[in-house]
Amino acid sequence: MNDKIYIIGHKTPDLDSVAAAISYADFKNNIEETDKYIPAVPGKMNKETEYALEKFKFAKPEELQSVENKNIILVDHNEFSQAAAGAQKANIIGVLDHHKVDFKYNEPILFNIKPWGATCSMIADMYFKLDLEPGKELAGLMLSAILVDTVLTKSPTCTEIDKIIIEKLADIAEIEDWEKFGLELFKVRSSVSDLSIAEIVKSDYKDFSFSAGKFGIGQVETADLAEFKVKEEELFKEIKNIKESGDYHTVILMITDIINEGSWVLAESKEPELIEKALEIKFENNKAYKKGLLSRKKQVVPKFI
Ligand code: MG
Ligand code: MG
Ligand code: MG
């Protein structure tokens, strides 16, 4: 092993995981006056991530097929089921995350978890605590990630600290109306016309092992529900496919309407009643609408643990 340390987010990278890898590498390289921290991604990035990288002029991070035998810091996840291939055999240096903890390691490491709205909020806070500031472009990238993760502060995962950090980063990035800017990001995110059905379902998709069995939960957030309505039949076919080929108990797709602040829950499950009970919904043809449901992490996952 050489002394390079890769900073890497979860599989099916989202904007927060990629922006966290870039910003934490920048932060660590700066304060340690080194260049050994390298942002990386474990696979293809989604559209709003590519859009934000381009907008703020960042190169695409190195794509690692496997992290086996590499020094790594995990950002925006801590569960091996969500980590890059080879993570079980990597040398893990640290974890920086804002999700529930499901992690075990045989050595003491840096383990930094906060119940905040985004990993990028934690990194911004590290700069501010040292009286440092991320550069203008980096502030813009981090702001983008926090706005997407917190659904423009509407998600119940968004804390008062996230809101303060959003204002500070918007200031540094010279973005006057962050709400308007955030809506642009969601427009990029939800234009699904050029994506295949499989790409839509897997664009923000996570596996979980719950007591009932293996669950797959995908989420798409949109400002335009109509785009998904017409694809519903195909979406169901796809989640059924995933369920059957992957030996799942349940596969859920949340289609979140960020304008009306609620989600359509599409589910294929061995026990639909269990899902209904947990989420307090009533399925009709395997789907149900739940007002106020915005967060997979806070409002769905905990119901099945
Ligand atoms: Mg994430
Ligand atoms: Mg995140
Ligand atoms: Mg998310």
Side-chain angles (χ1 to χ4, degrees), residues 10-14 44-46 195-207 214 216-220 235 238-239 241-243 245-246 248 251-253 296:
H10 52 79
K11 278 188 283 199
T12 59
D14 62 5
K44 194 174 173 292
M45 297 181 295
N46 62 20
L195 292 183
S196 73
I197 293 294
E199 284 172 326
I200 294 172
V201 175
K202 287 279 172 122
S203 66
D204 178 6
Y205 178 90
K206 286 177 181 170
D207 280 339
K214 183 175 161 192
I217 309 176
Q219 183 176 24
V220 286
L235 289 169
E238 179 64 20
I239 59 178
N241 230 335
I242 296 172
K243 175 177 170 277
S245 57
Y248 283 92
V251 176
I252 290 173
L253 178 66
R296 167 178 52 198

PDB file of all heavy atoms in Angstrom, residues 10-14 44-46 195-207 214 216-220 235 238-239 241-243 245-246 248 251-253 296:
ATOM      1  N   HIS A  10     -20.804   6.359  -1.577  1.00  0.00           N
ATOM      2  CA  HIS A  10     -21.519   5.096  -1.787  1.00  0.00           C
ATOM      3  C   HIS A  10     -21.704   4.769  -3.272  1.00  0.00           C
ATOM      4  O   HIS A  10     -21.559   5.628  -4.127  1.00  0.00           O
ATOM      5  CB  HIS A  10     -22.876   5.143  -1.085  1.00  0.00           C
ATOM      6  CG  HIS A  10     -23.713   6.344  -1.426  1.00  0.00           C
ATOM      7  ND1 HIS A  10     -24.431   6.445  -2.590  1.00  0.00           N
ATOM      8  CD2 HIS A  10     -23.917   7.515  -0.752  1.00  0.00           C
ATOM      9  CE1 HIS A  10     -25.069   7.605  -2.606  1.00  0.00           C
ATOM     10  NE2 HIS A  10     -24.766   8.282  -1.516  1.00  0.00           N
ATOM     11  N   LYS A  11     -22.061   3.491  -3.500  1.00  0.00           N
ATOM     12  CA  LYS A  11     -22.413   3.036  -4.845  1.00  0.00           C
ATOM     13  C   LYS A  11     -23.581   3.864  -5.365  1.00  0.00           C
ATOM     14  O   LYS A  11     -24.335   4.435  -4.591  1.00  0.00           O
ATOM     15  CB  LYS A  11     -22.834   1.557  -4.797  1.00  0.00           C
ATOM     16  CG  LYS A  11     -21.664   0.601  -4.791  1.00  0.00           C
ATOM     17  CD  LYS A  11     -22.130  -0.846  -4.947  1.00  0.00           C
ATOM     18  CE  LYS A  11     -22.706  -1.383  -3.668  1.00  0.00           C
ATOM     19  NZ  LYS A  11     -22.776  -2.846  -3.582  1.00  0.00           N
ATOM     20  N   THR A  12     -23.788   3.857  -6.666  1.00  0.00           N
ATOM     21  CA  THR A  12     -24.710   4.793  -7.312  1.00  0.00           C
ATOM     22  C   THR A  12     -24.553   6.180  -6.687  1.00  0.00           C
ATOM     23  O   THR A  12     -25.411   6.677  -5.965  1.00  0.00           O
ATOM     24  CB  THR A  12     -26.205   4.360  -7.276  1.00  0.00           C
ATOM     25  OG1 THR A  12     -26.611   4.214  -5.918  1.00  0.00           O
ATOM     26  CG2 THR A  12     -26.441   3.079  -8.021  1.00  0.00           C
ATOM     27  N   PRO A  13     -23.408   6.785  -6.986  1.00  0.00           N
ATOM     28  CA  PRO A  13     -23.037   8.056  -6.349  1.00  0.00           C
ATOM     29  C   PRO A  13     -24.081   9.146  -6.564  1.00  0.00           C
ATOM     30  O   PRO A  13     -24.609   9.281  -7.664  1.00  0.00           O
ATOM     31  CB  PRO A  13     -21.748   8.451  -7.072  1.00  0.00           C
ATOM     32  CG  PRO A  13     -21.340   7.310  -7.917  1.00  0.00           C
ATOM     33  CD  PRO A  13     -22.462   6.342  -7.997  1.00  0.00           C
ATOM     34  N   ASP A  14     -24.370   9.881  -5.510  1.00  0.00           N
ATOM     35  CA  ASP A  14     -25.225  11.056  -5.643  1.00  0.00           C
ATOM     36  C   ASP A  14     -24.366  12.302  -5.429  1.00  0.00           C
ATOM     37  O   ASP A  14     -23.165  12.209  -5.184  1.00  0.00           O
ATOM     38  CB  ASP A  14     -26.410  10.990  -4.668  1.00  0.00           C
ATOM     39  CG  ASP A  14     -25.968  10.965  -3.208  1.00  0.00           C
ATOM     40  OD1 ASP A  14     -24.754  11.088  -2.939  1.00  0.00           O
ATOM     41  OD2 ASP A  14     -26.846  10.823  -2.342  1.00  0.00           O
ATOM     42  N   LYS A  44     -20.711   5.179 -12.135  1.00  0.00           N
ATOM     43  CA  LYS A  44     -21.225   6.278 -12.942  1.00  0.00           C
ATOM     44  C   LYS A  44     -22.034   7.249 -12.073  1.00  0.00           C
ATOM     45  O   LYS A  44     -22.807   6.834 -11.223  1.00  0.00           O
ATOM     46  CB  LYS A  44     -22.125   5.668 -14.024  1.00  0.00           C
ATOM     47  CG  LYS A  44     -22.472   6.597 -15.142  1.00  0.00           C
ATOM     48  CD  LYS A  44     -23.238   5.821 -16.226  1.00  0.00           C
ATOM     49  CE  LYS A  44     -23.778   6.713 -17.320  1.00  0.00           C
ATOM     50  NZ  LYS A  44     -24.853   7.623 -16.948  1.00  0.00           N
ATOM     51  N   MET A  45     -21.822   8.527 -12.332  1.00  0.00           N
ATOM     52  CA  MET A  45     -22.524   9.542 -11.537  1.00  0.00           C
ATOM     53  C   MET A  45     -23.858   9.899 -12.177  1.00  0.00           C
ATOM     54  O   MET A  45     -24.037   9.743 -13.375  1.00  0.00           O
ATOM     55  CB  MET A  45     -21.653  10.784 -11.430  1.00  0.00           C
ATOM     56  CG  MET A  45     -20.347  10.527 -10.689  1.00  0.00           C
ATOM     57  SD  MET A  45     -19.346  12.009 -10.562  1.00  0.00           S
ATOM     58  CE  MET A  45     -18.978  12.300 -12.269  1.00  0.00           C
ATOM     59  N   ASN A  46     -24.793  10.413 -11.362  1.00  0.00           N
ATOM     60  CA  ASN A  46     -26.089  10.801 -11.922  1.00  0.00           C
ATOM     61  C   ASN A  46     -26.019  12.184 -12.566  1.00  0.00           C
ATOM     62  O   ASN A  46     -24.995  12.863 -12.523  1.00  0.00           O
ATOM     63  CB  ASN A  46     -27.193  10.715 -10.857  1.00  0.00           C
ATOM     64  CG  ASN A  46     -26.952  11.671  -9.696  1.00  0.00           C
ATOM     65  OD1 ASN A  46     -26.198  12.635  -9.816  1.00  0.00           O
ATOM     66  ND2 ASN A  46     -27.590  11.415  -8.575  1.00  0.00           N
ATOM     67  N   LEU A 195     -33.533   8.970 -19.846  1.00  0.00           N
ATOM     68  CA  LEU A 195     -33.035   7.842 -19.049  1.00  0.00           C
ATOM     69  C   LEU A 195     -33.863   6.589 -19.320  1.00  0.00           C
ATOM     70  O   LEU A 195     -35.070   6.673 -19.551  1.00  0.00           O
ATOM     71  CB  LEU A 195     -33.133   8.163 -17.554  1.00  0.00           C
ATOM     72  CG  LEU A 195     -32.229   9.244 -16.983  1.00  0.00           C
ATOM     73  CD1 LEU A 195     -32.450   9.347 -15.473  1.00  0.00           C
ATOM     74  CD2 LEU A 195     -30.759   8.967 -17.268  1.00  0.00           C
ATOM     75  N   SER A 196     -33.229   5.446 -19.259  1.00  0.00           N
ATOM     76  CA  SER A 196     -33.979   4.195 -19.365  1.00  0.00           C
ATOM     77  C   SER A 196     -34.713   3.959 -18.045  1.00  0.00           C
ATOM     78  O   SER A 196     -34.377   4.567 -17.019  1.00  0.00           O
ATOM     79  CB  SER A 196     -33.033   3.036 -19.657  1.00  0.00           C
ATOM     80  OG  SER A 196     -32.300   2.727 -18.487  1.00  0.00           O
ATOM     81  N   ILE A 197     -35.684   3.075 -18.055  1.00  0.00           N
ATOM     82  CA  ILE A 197     -36.433   2.771 -16.833  1.00  0.00           C
ATOM     83  C   ILE A 197     -35.495   2.256 -15.735  1.00  0.00           C
ATOM     84  O   ILE A 197     -35.580   2.671 -14.576  1.00  0.00           O
ATOM     85  CB  ILE A 197     -37.537   1.730 -17.155  1.00  0.00           C
ATOM     86  CG1 ILE A 197     -38.585   2.351 -18.073  1.00  0.00           C
ATOM     87  CG2 ILE A 197     -38.186   1.203 -15.879  1.00  0.00           C
ATOM     88  CD1 ILE A 197     -39.396   3.483 -17.460  1.00  0.00           C
ATOM     89  N   ALA A 198     -34.571   1.390 -16.130  1.00  0.00           N
ATOM     90  CA  ALA A 198     -33.623   0.855 -15.139  1.00  0.00           C
ATOM     91  C   ALA A 198     -32.779   1.970 -14.537  1.00  0.00           C
ATOM     92  O   ALA A 198     -32.516   1.986 -13.328  1.00  0.00           O
ATOM     93  CB  ALA A 198     -32.724  -0.191 -15.787  1.00  0.00           C
ATOM     94  N   GLU A 199     -32.391   2.926 -15.361  1.00  0.00           N
ATOM     95  CA  GLU A 199     -31.588   4.051 -14.860  1.00  0.00           C
ATOM     96  C   GLU A 199     -32.379   4.922 -13.889  1.00  0.00           C
ATOM     97  O   GLU A 199     -31.835   5.418 -12.903  1.00  0.00           O
ATOM     98  CB  GLU A 199     -31.074   4.900 -16.031  1.00  0.00           C
ATOM     99  CG  GLU A 199     -29.910   4.271 -16.779  1.00  0.00           C
ATOM    100  CD  GLU A 199     -29.539   5.018 -18.045  1.00  0.00           C
ATOM    101  OE1 GLU A 199     -30.447   5.577 -18.710  1.00  0.00           O
ATOM    102  OE2 GLU A 199     -28.354   5.040 -18.382  1.00  0.00           O
ATOM    103  N   ILE A 200     -33.668   5.088 -14.177  1.00  0.00           N
ATOM    104  CA  ILE A 200     -34.511   5.887 -13.271  1.00  0.00           C
ATOM    105  C   ILE A 200     -34.580   5.208 -11.898  1.00  0.00           C
ATOM    106  O   ILE A 200     -34.340   5.827 -10.863  1.00  0.00           O
ATOM    107  CB  ILE A 200     -35.943   6.055 -13.839  1.00  0.00           C
ATOM    108  CG1 ILE A 200     -35.905   6.895 -15.112  1.00  0.00           C
ATOM    109  CG2 ILE A 200     -36.862   6.697 -12.799  1.00  0.00           C
ATOM    110  CD1 ILE A 200     -37.238   6.944 -15.853  1.00  0.00           C
ATOM    111  N   VAL A 201     -34.886   3.918 -11.909  1.00  0.00           N
ATOM    112  CA  VAL A 201     -35.052   3.199 -10.636  1.00  0.00           C
ATOM    113  C   VAL A 201     -33.742   3.161  -9.860  1.00  0.00           C
ATOM    114  O   VAL A 201     -33.722   3.302  -8.633  1.00  0.00           O
ATOM    115  CB  VAL A 201     -35.578   1.764 -10.890  1.00  0.00           C
ATOM    116  CG1 VAL A 201     -35.626   0.974  -9.593  1.00  0.00           C
ATOM    117  CG2 VAL A 201     -36.955   1.806 -11.529  1.00  0.00           C
ATOM    118  N   LYS A 202     -32.644   3.003 -10.571  1.00  0.00           N
ATOM    119  CA  LYS A 202     -31.353   2.841  -9.889  1.00  0.00           C
ATOM    120  C   LYS A 202     -30.602   4.151  -9.666  1.00  0.00           C
ATOM    121  O   LYS A 202     -29.496   4.149  -9.133  1.00  0.00           O
ATOM    122  CB  LYS A 202     -30.460   1.879 -10.682  1.00  0.00           C
ATOM    123  CG  LYS A 202     -30.908   0.401 -10.588  1.00  0.00           C
ATOM    124  CD  LYS A 202     -30.434  -0.244  -9.291  1.00  0.00           C
ATOM    125  CE  LYS A 202     -31.010  -1.612  -9.064  1.00  0.00           C
ATOM    126  NZ  LYS A 202     -30.110  -2.702  -8.911  1.00  0.00           N
ATOM    127  N   SER A 203     -31.196   5.284 -10.048  1.00  0.00           N
ATOM    128  CA  SER A 203     -30.433   6.534  -9.970  1.00  0.00           C
ATOM    129  C   SER A 203     -30.129   6.919  -8.517  1.00  0.00           C
ATOM    130  O   SER A 203     -29.113   7.529  -8.229  1.00  0.00           O
ATOM    131  CB  SER A 203     -31.161   7.655 -10.703  1.00  0.00           C
ATOM    132  OG  SER A 203     -32.366   7.954 -10.042  1.00  0.00           O
ATOM    133  N   ASP A 204     -30.990   6.565  -7.600  1.00  0.00           N
ATOM    134  CA  ASP A 204     -30.698   6.790  -6.178  1.00  0.00           C
ATOM    135  C   ASP A 204     -31.321   5.617  -5.435  1.00  0.00           C
ATOM    136  O   ASP A 204     -32.461   5.670  -4.975  1.00  0.00           O
ATOM    137  CB  ASP A 204     -31.296   8.121  -5.717  1.00  0.00           C
ATOM    138  CG  ASP A 204     -31.064   8.372  -4.226  1.00  0.00           C
ATOM    139  OD1 ASP A 204     -30.340   7.583  -3.580  1.00  0.00           O
ATOM    140  OD2 ASP A 204     -31.629   9.349  -3.707  1.00  0.00           O
ATOM    141  N   TYR A 205     -30.579   4.539  -5.375  1.00  0.00           N
ATOM    142  CA  TYR A 205     -31.119   3.255  -4.943  1.00  0.00           C
ATOM    143  C   TYR A 205     -30.197   2.660  -3.890  1.00  0.00           C
ATOM    144  O   TYR A 205     -28.985   2.686  -4.049  1.00  0.00           O
ATOM    145  CB  TYR A 205     -31.203   2.338  -6.160  1.00  0.00           C
ATOM    146  CG  TYR A 205     -31.696   0.944  -5.860  1.00  0.00           C
ATOM    147  CD1 TYR A 205     -33.040   0.633  -5.917  1.00  0.00           C
ATOM    148  CD2 TYR A 205     -30.797  -0.061  -5.514  1.00  0.00           C
ATOM    149  CE1 TYR A 205     -33.491  -0.647  -5.636  1.00  0.00           C
ATOM    150  CE2 TYR A 205     -31.229  -1.344  -5.229  1.00  0.00           C
ATOM    151  CZ  TYR A 205     -32.572  -1.628  -5.294  1.00  0.00           C
ATOM    152  OH  TYR A 205     -33.013  -2.891  -5.005  1.00  0.00           O
ATOM    153  N   LYS A 206     -30.775   2.137  -2.804  1.00  0.00           N
ATOM    154  CA  LYS A 206     -29.941   1.547  -1.755  1.00  0.00           C
ATOM    155  C   LYS A 206     -30.495   0.218  -1.267  1.00  0.00           C
ATOM    156  O   LYS A 206     -31.706   0.057  -1.158  1.00  0.00           O
ATOM    157  CB  LYS A 206     -29.825   2.495  -0.555  1.00  0.00           C
ATOM    158  CG  LYS A 206     -28.916   3.671  -0.830  1.00  0.00           C
ATOM    159  CD  LYS A 206     -28.861   4.643   0.318  1.00  0.00           C
ATOM    160  CE  LYS A 206     -27.947   5.815  -0.053  1.00  0.00           C
ATOM    161  NZ  LYS A 206     -28.035   6.901   0.908  1.00  0.00           N
ATOM    162  N   ASP A 207     -29.590  -0.692  -0.951  1.00  0.00           N
ATOM    163  CA  ASP A 207     -29.963  -1.978  -0.359  1.00  0.00           C
ATOM    164  C   ASP A 207     -29.873  -1.900   1.160  1.00  0.00           C
ATOM    165  O   ASP A 207     -28.971  -1.265   1.703  1.00  0.00           O
ATOM    166  CB  ASP A 207     -29.002  -3.082  -0.827  1.00  0.00           C
ATOM    167  CG  ASP A 207     -29.364  -3.585  -2.214  1.00  0.00           C
ATOM    168  OD1 ASP A 207     -30.524  -3.406  -2.626  1.00  0.00           O
ATOM    169  OD2 ASP A 207     -28.482  -4.155  -2.876  1.00  0.00           O
ATOM    170  N   LYS A 214     -34.192  -8.781   2.881  1.00  0.00           N
ATOM    171  CA  LYS A 214     -33.466  -7.791   2.084  1.00  0.00           C
ATOM    172  C   LYS A 214     -34.434  -6.819   1.403  1.00  0.00           C
ATOM    173  O   LYS A 214     -35.398  -7.233   0.770  1.00  0.00           O
ATOM    174  CB  LYS A 214     -32.635  -8.539   1.037  1.00  0.00           C
ATOM    175  CG  LYS A 214     -31.754  -7.672   0.168  1.00  0.00           C
ATOM    176  CD  LYS A 214     -30.895  -8.576  -0.730  1.00  0.00           C
ATOM    177  CE  LYS A 214     -30.350  -7.830  -1.928  1.00  0.00           C
ATOM    178  NZ  LYS A 214     -29.774  -8.743  -2.931  1.00  0.00           N
ATOM    179  N   GLY A 216     -34.740  -3.281  -1.094  1.00  0.00           N
ATOM    180  CA  GLY A 216     -34.120  -2.297  -1.985  1.00  0.00           C
ATOM    181  C   GLY A 216     -35.041  -1.102  -2.027  1.00  0.00           C
ATOM    182  O   GLY A 216     -36.240  -1.249  -2.236  1.00  0.00           O
ATOM    183  N   ILE A 217     -34.499   0.088  -1.756  1.00  0.00           N
ATOM    184  CA  ILE A 217     -35.354   1.285  -1.763  1.00  0.00           C
ATOM    185  C   ILE A 217     -34.731   2.361  -2.647  1.00  0.00           C
ATOM    186  O   ILE A 217     -33.632   2.841  -2.378  1.00  0.00           O
ATOM    187  CB  ILE A 217     -35.568   1.845  -0.338  1.00  0.00           C
ATOM    188  CG1 ILE A 217     -36.027   0.730   0.614  1.00  0.00           C
ATOM    189  CG2 ILE A 217     -36.588   2.988  -0.373  1.00  0.00           C
ATOM    190  CD1 ILE A 217     -36.167   1.175   2.065  1.00  0.00           C
ATOM    191  N   GLY A 218     -35.442   2.684  -3.708  1.00  0.00           N
ATOM    192  CA  GLY A 218     -35.004   3.749  -4.608  1.00  0.00           C
ATOM    193  C   GLY A 218     -35.850   4.984  -4.367  1.00  0.00           C
ATOM    194  O   GLY A 218     -36.982   4.900  -3.883  1.00  0.00           O
ATOM    195  N   GLN A 219     -35.279   6.139  -4.696  1.00  0.00           N
ATOM    196  CA  GLN A 219     -36.053   7.371  -4.562  1.00  0.00           C
ATOM    197  C   GLN A 219     -35.741   8.301  -5.723  1.00  0.00           C
ATOM    198  O   GLN A 219     -34.576   8.474  -6.083  1.00  0.00           O
ATOM    199  CB  GLN A 219     -35.722   8.076  -3.233  1.00  0.00           C
ATOM    200  CG  GLN A 219     -36.577   9.338  -3.020  1.00  0.00           C
ATOM    201  CD  GLN A 219     -36.343  10.015  -1.673  1.00  0.00           C
ATOM    202  OE1 GLN A 219     -35.284   9.844  -1.068  1.00  0.00           O
ATOM    203  NE2 GLN A 219     -37.317  10.779  -1.214  1.00  0.00           N
ATOM    204  N   VAL A 220     -36.781   8.840  -6.304  1.00  0.00           N
ATOM    205  CA  VAL A 220     -36.585   9.911  -7.278  1.00  0.00           C
ATOM    206  C   VAL A 220     -37.353  11.123  -6.782  1.00  0.00           C
ATOM    207  O   VAL A 220     -38.448  10.986  -6.236  1.00  0.00           O
ATOM    208  CB  VAL A 220     -37.065   9.532  -8.695  1.00  0.00           C
ATOM    209  CG1 VAL A 220     -36.116   8.551  -9.349  1.00  0.00           C
ATOM    210  CG2 VAL A 220     -38.474   8.949  -8.676  1.00  0.00           C
ATOM    211  N   LEU A 235     -42.183   1.126 -14.708  1.00  0.00           N
ATOM    212  CA  LEU A 235     -41.459   1.213 -13.431  1.00  0.00           C
ATOM    213  C   LEU A 235     -41.787   0.002 -12.560  1.00  0.00           C
ATOM    214  O   LEU A 235     -40.910  -0.592 -11.935  1.00  0.00           O
ATOM    215  CB  LEU A 235     -41.810   2.514 -12.693  1.00  0.00           C
ATOM    216  CG  LEU A 235     -41.255   3.798 -13.325  1.00  0.00           C
ATOM    217  CD1 LEU A 235     -41.880   5.034 -12.687  1.00  0.00           C
ATOM    218  CD2 LEU A 235     -39.736   3.856 -13.203  1.00  0.00           C
ATOM    219  N   GLU A 238     -40.002  -3.041 -13.723  1.00  0.00           N
ATOM    220  CA  GLU A 238     -38.585  -3.005 -13.352  1.00  0.00           C
ATOM    221  C   GLU A 238     -38.374  -3.370 -11.883  1.00  0.00           C
ATOM    222  O   GLU A 238     -37.488  -4.152 -11.543  1.00  0.00           O
ATOM    223  CB  GLU A 238     -38.006  -1.615 -13.666  1.00  0.00           C
ATOM    224  CG  GLU A 238     -36.539  -1.439 -13.307  1.00  0.00           C
ATOM    225  CD  GLU A 238     -35.595  -2.335 -14.082  1.00  0.00           C
ATOM    226  OE1 GLU A 238     -35.993  -2.839 -15.156  1.00  0.00           O
ATOM    227  OE2 GLU A 238     -34.469  -2.555 -13.601  1.00  0.00           O
ATOM    228  N   ILE A 239     -39.209  -2.822 -10.986  1.00  0.00           N
ATOM    229  CA  ILE A 239     -38.965  -3.147  -9.570  1.00  0.00           C
ATOM    230  C   ILE A 239     -39.324  -4.608  -9.279  1.00  0.00           C
ATOM    231  O   ILE A 239     -38.707  -5.259  -8.450  1.00  0.00           O
ATOM    232  CB  ILE A 239     -39.650  -2.161  -8.567  1.00  0.00           C
ATOM    233  CG1 ILE A 239     -41.143  -2.095  -8.731  1.00  0.00           C
ATOM    234  CG2 ILE A 239     -39.056  -0.789  -8.661  1.00  0.00           C
ATOM    235  CD1 ILE A 239     -41.804  -1.151  -7.707  1.00  0.00           C
ATOM    236  N   ASN A 241     -38.848  -6.998 -11.415  1.00  0.00           N
ATOM    237  CA  ASN A 241     -37.657  -7.651 -11.948  1.00  0.00           C
ATOM    238  C   ASN A 241     -36.516  -7.684 -10.940  1.00  0.00           C
ATOM    239  O   ASN A 241     -35.900  -8.718 -10.695  1.00  0.00           O
ATOM    240  CB  ASN A 241     -37.169  -6.816 -13.136  1.00  0.00           C
ATOM    241  CG  ASN A 241     -36.948  -7.696 -14.331  1.00  0.00           C
ATOM    242  OD1 ASN A 241     -36.699  -8.891 -14.174  1.00  0.00           O
ATOM    243  ND2 ASN A 241     -37.062  -7.107 -15.501  1.00  0.00           N
ATOM    244  N   ILE A 242     -36.260  -6.515 -10.355  1.00  0.00           N
ATOM    245  CA  ILE A 242     -35.185  -6.401  -9.359  1.00  0.00           C
ATOM    246  C   ILE A 242     -35.488  -7.315  -8.179  1.00  0.00           C
ATOM    247  O   ILE A 242     -34.637  -8.059  -7.714  1.00  0.00           O
ATOM    248  CB  ILE A 242     -35.040  -4.940  -8.866  1.00  0.00           C
ATOM    249  CG1 ILE A 242     -34.607  -4.030 -10.010  1.00  0.00           C
ATOM    250  CG2 ILE A 242     -34.029  -4.848  -7.718  1.00  0.00           C
ATOM    251  CD1 ILE A 242     -34.625  -2.552  -9.657  1.00  0.00           C
ATOM    252  N   LYS A 243     -36.748  -7.273  -7.744  1.00  0.00           N
ATOM    253  CA  LYS A 243     -37.138  -8.077  -6.581  1.00  0.00           C
ATOM    254  C   LYS A 243     -36.885  -9.551  -6.848  1.00  0.00           C
ATOM    255  O   LYS A 243     -36.296 -10.256  -6.030  1.00  0.00           O
ATOM    256  CB  LYS A 243     -38.606  -7.837  -6.241  1.00  0.00           C
ATOM    257  CG  LYS A 243     -39.122  -8.724  -5.112  1.00  0.00           C
ATOM    258  CD  LYS A 243     -40.570  -8.406  -4.766  1.00  0.00           C
ATOM    259  CE  LYS A 243     -41.143  -9.444  -3.834  1.00  0.00           C
ATOM    260  NZ  LYS A 243     -41.644 -10.649  -4.521  1.00  0.00           N
ATOM    261  N   SER A 245     -35.038 -11.077  -9.274  1.00  0.00           N
ATOM    262  CA  SER A 245     -33.683 -11.534  -9.620  1.00  0.00           C
ATOM    263  C   SER A 245     -32.723 -11.375  -8.449  1.00  0.00           C
ATOM    264  O   SER A 245     -31.664 -11.991  -8.421  1.00  0.00           O
ATOM    265  CB  SER A 245     -33.174 -10.788 -10.853  1.00  0.00           C
ATOM    266  OG  SER A 245     -33.198  -9.412 -10.612  1.00  0.00           O
ATOM    267  N   GLY A 246     -33.080 -10.535  -7.463  1.00  0.00           N
ATOM    268  CA  GLY A 246     -32.136 -10.285  -6.370  1.00  0.00           C
ATOM    269  C   GLY A 246     -32.544 -10.902  -5.040  1.00  0.00           C
ATOM    270  O   GLY A 246     -31.936 -10.612  -4.024  1.00  0.00           O
ATOM    271  N   TYR A 248     -35.165 -10.419  -3.083  1.00  0.00           N
ATOM    272  CA  TYR A 248     -35.561  -9.383  -2.141  1.00  0.00           C
ATOM    273  C   TYR A 248     -36.857  -9.744  -1.413  1.00  0.00           C
ATOM    274  O   TYR A 248     -37.722 -10.414  -1.976  1.00  0.00           O
ATOM    275  CB  TYR A 248     -35.825  -8.074  -2.884  1.00  0.00           C
ATOM    276  CG  TYR A 248     -34.593  -7.325  -3.307  1.00  0.00           C
ATOM    277  CD1 TYR A 248     -34.029  -7.514  -4.562  1.00  0.00           C
ATOM    278  CD2 TYR A 248     -34.005  -6.406  -2.447  1.00  0.00           C
ATOM    279  CE1 TYR A 248     -32.908  -6.802  -4.952  1.00  0.00           C
ATOM    280  CE2 TYR A 248     -32.878  -5.691  -2.830  1.00  0.00           C
ATOM    281  CZ  TYR A 248     -32.338  -5.884  -4.083  1.00  0.00           C
ATOM    282  OH  TYR A 248     -31.237  -5.175  -4.462  1.00  0.00           O
ATOM    283  N   VAL A 251     -39.023  -4.474  -2.754  1.00  0.00           N
ATOM    284  CA  VAL A 251     -38.378  -3.384  -3.473  1.00  0.00           C
ATOM    285  C   VAL A 251     -39.379  -2.233  -3.546  1.00  0.00           C
ATOM    286  O   VAL A 251     -40.533  -2.414  -3.935  1.00  0.00           O
ATOM    287  CB  VAL A 251     -37.932  -3.797  -4.894  1.00  0.00           C
ATOM    288  CG1 VAL A 251     -37.348  -2.602  -5.640  1.00  0.00           C
ATOM    289  CG2 VAL A 251     -36.881  -4.914  -4.820  1.00  0.00           C
ATOM    290  N   ILE A 252     -38.906  -1.071  -3.107  1.00  0.00           N
ATOM    291  CA  ILE A 252     -39.771   0.119  -3.077  1.00  0.00           C
ATOM    292  C   ILE A 252     -39.166   1.192  -3.967  1.00  0.00           C
ATOM    293  O   ILE A 252     -37.951   1.383  -3.988  1.00  0.00           O
ATOM    294  CB  ILE A 252     -39.877   0.672  -1.626  1.00  0.00           C
ATOM    295  CG1 ILE A 252     -40.693  -0.294  -0.742  1.00  0.00           C
ATOM    296  CG2 ILE A 252     -40.524   2.064  -1.610  1.00  0.00           C
ATOM    297  CD1 ILE A 252     -40.714   0.093   0.741  1.00  0.00           C
ATOM    298  N   LEU A 253     -40.027   1.876  -4.684  1.00  0.00           N
ATOM    299  CA  LEU A 253     -39.590   3.094  -5.359  1.00  0.00           C
ATOM    300  C   LEU A 253     -40.427   4.247  -4.817  1.00  0.00           C
ATOM    301  O   LEU A 253     -41.656   4.215  -4.878  1.00  0.00           O
ATOM    302  CB  LEU A 253     -39.753   2.978  -6.880  1.00  0.00           C
ATOM    303  CG  LEU A 253     -39.353   4.233  -7.665  1.00  0.00           C
ATOM    304  CD1 LEU A 253     -37.858   4.518  -7.550  1.00  0.00           C
ATOM    305  CD2 LEU A 253     -39.738   4.116  -9.142  1.00  0.00           C
ATOM    306  N   ARG A 296     -36.258   9.078   2.760  1.00  0.00           N
ATOM    307  CA  ARG A 296     -36.078   7.627   2.894  1.00  0.00           C
ATOM    308  C   ARG A 296     -35.384   7.318   4.221  1.00  0.00           C
ATOM    309  O   ARG A 296     -35.769   6.426   4.966  1.00  0.00           O
ATOM    310  CB  ARG A 296     -35.220   7.126   1.715  1.00  0.00           C
ATOM    311  CG  ARG A 296     -34.701   5.702   1.881  1.00  0.00           C
ATOM    312  CD  ARG A 296     -33.919   5.266   0.655  1.00  0.00           C
ATOM    313  NE  ARG A 296     -32.886   6.229   0.300  1.00  0.00           N
ATOM    314  CZ  ARG A 296     -32.296   6.289  -0.895  1.00  0.00           C
ATOM    315  NH1 ARG A 296     -32.626   5.451  -1.857  1.00  0.00           N
ATOM    316  NH2 ARG A 296     -31.370   7.198  -1.139  1.00  0.00           N
TER     317      ARG A 296
END
